[in-house]
Amino acid sequence: MDARDRIDLTTGRGLMACPRCDALHVEEELQPGETARCIRCGGVLAKPRGGAFTQLIALSFTSMVLMMGAVFFPFLEISRMGFGNATSLFGVGMAFADGVLLPLVLAVMVMIVGLPVLRAFLLVYTLTPLAQGRAPYRHAARAFRWSELMRPWSMAEIFVIGTAVALIKVAGLATVHLGPAFWAFCALILVNVASRGFMCQTTIWDAIEDAGLPTDGREMVEGRSA
């Protein structure tokens, strides 16, 4: 079949856009291990991996467990002249929960804790039935879209970098001992990097569309199925 018979410029059927430069390409079926790259900028368009859905689910659960540990376990201990104090991220948030700093504390907790946990949950919700070969849940497309929108706002990595810079300054004034929560945050960064390496957004969207779920409204044009 000619490529022109498989695409529709009105609905976008059979086409895929580069996420970096928006160049349009004819969509092709890829086998696990193959990579499709943009002919203009060289960016990766699709890179399906065998068993990637199961691996992403496992990494998402790992991310949620690490985040819970990072919140409630001791983050660091500062000691000087025989006196010391250890605290967790949750304890720090409660210490500043009163007064004018409350909005700032809430914003920090949402960016550092809330969004990464919610994004991991949305990925599990989207990918669990797909990994089992079943039809996705009713709101899978919306859940995956929200998880992708949240990605730039998940600030766990920025928090660890900022904490490391602050500890360098504090280390000259007192003795600092890093707690398990700090290392949980570091492990969380590695899990997030691995998750990005396994994820292929194009493959997930294709699986959702193949199941017949609407994604962005292009499936319906003038009241008929595209």
Side-chain angles (χ1 to χ4, degrees), residues 7 37-38 48 51 58 64 81-82 85 90-91 106-107 113 121 129 146 150 156 160 170 198 203 211 223:
I7 66 176
R37 295 186 178 274
C38 177
M64 288 188 282
M81 300 178 64
N85 186 32
F90 181 78
L106 292 177
V113 179
F121 173 78
W146 283 354
M150 292 177 187
V160 171
V170 175
F198 283 113
T203 303

Side-chain angles (χ1 to χ4, degrees), residues 4-134:
R4 290 174 294 182
D5 298 328
R6 295 188 288 108
I7 66 176
D8 189 332
L9 297 179
T10 303
T11 64
R13 176 176 57 86
L15 297 174
M16 60 188 308
C18 174
R20 296 172 57 181
C21 68
D22 293 330
L24 290 178
H25 302 75
V26 176
E27 187 174 8
E28 298 288 349
E29 291 292 335
L30 298 179
Q31 298 299 321
E34 294 182 339
T35 302
R37 295 186 178 274
C38 177
I39 60 175
R40 177 187 294 173
C41 67
V44 176
L45 300 176
K47 190 175 182 179
R49 297 172 180 266
F53 289 172
T54 302
Q55 293 165 339
L56 286 172
I57 293 171
L59 291 173
S60 296
F61 273 115
T62 303
S63 176
M64 288 188 282
V65 172
L66 288 174
M67 183 58 74
M68 292 300 100
V71 171
F72 295 105
F73 287 164
F75 189 82
L76 56 83
E77 179 182 359
I78 299 178
S79 60
R80 180 176 173 83
M81 300 178 64
F83 298 93
N85 186 32
T87 187
S88 64
L89 186 61
F90 181 78
V92 173
M94 291 297 98
F96 293 96
D98 297 328
V100 296
L101 292 179
L102 178 59
L104 178 61
V105 171
L106 292 177
V108 171
M109 294 298 290
V110 168
M111 295 289 186
I112 297 175
V113 179
L115 290 185
V117 172
L118 179 57
R119 183 170 181 268
F121 173 78
L122 292 175
L123 283 177
V124 172
Y125 176 87
T126 303
L127 298 177
T128 297
L130 298 177
Q132 298 174 349
R134 298 187 288 109

Side-chain angles (χ1 to χ4, degrees), residues 64-225:
M64 288 188 282
V65 172
L66 288 174
M67 183 58 74
M68 292 300 100
V71 171
F72 295 105
F73 287 164
F75 189 82
L76 56 83
E77 179 182 359
I78 299 178
S79 60
R80 180 176 173 83
M81 300 178 64
F83 298 93
N85 186 32
T87 187
S88 64
L89 186 61
F90 181 78
V92 173
M94 291 297 98
F96 293 96
D98 297 328
V100 296
L101 292 179
L102 178 59
L104 178 61
V105 171
L106 292 177
V108 171
M109 294 298 290
V110 168
M111 295 289 186
I112 297 175
V113 179
L115 290 185
V117 172
L118 179 57
R119 183 170 181 268
F121 173 78
L122 292 175
L123 283 177
V124 172
Y125 176 87
T126 303
L127 298 177
T128 297
L130 298 177
Q132 298 174 349
R134 298 187 288 109
Y137 295 131
R138 180 177 180 182
H139 301 290
R142 182 177 301 175
F144 184 61
R145 182 178 295 110
W146 283 354
S147 71
E148 289 299 289
L149 291 175
M150 292 177 187
R151 177 186 297 184
W153 299 98
S154 299
M155 298 295 182
E157 297 89 343
I158 305 301
F159 174 74
V160 171
I161 295 175
T163 301
V165 173
L167 290 178
I168 293 175
K169 296 181 178 296
V170 175
L173 304 175
T175 302
V176 179
H177 301 281
L178 301 176
F182 178 84
W183 300 114
F185 265 111
C186 294
L188 181 64
I189 294 176
L190 297 179
V191 170
N192 289 338
V193 172
S195 178
R196 293 171 187 172
F198 283 113
M199 179 176 291
C200 176
Q201 292 90 343
T202 303
T203 303
I204 297 175
W205 283 122
D206 286 345
I208 295 174
E209 290 180 345
D210 291 344
L213 290 184
T215 53
D216 57 4
R218 294 180 305 172
E219 295 77 14
M220 299 299 295
V221 178
E222 298 180 357
R224 60 181 176 85
S225 177

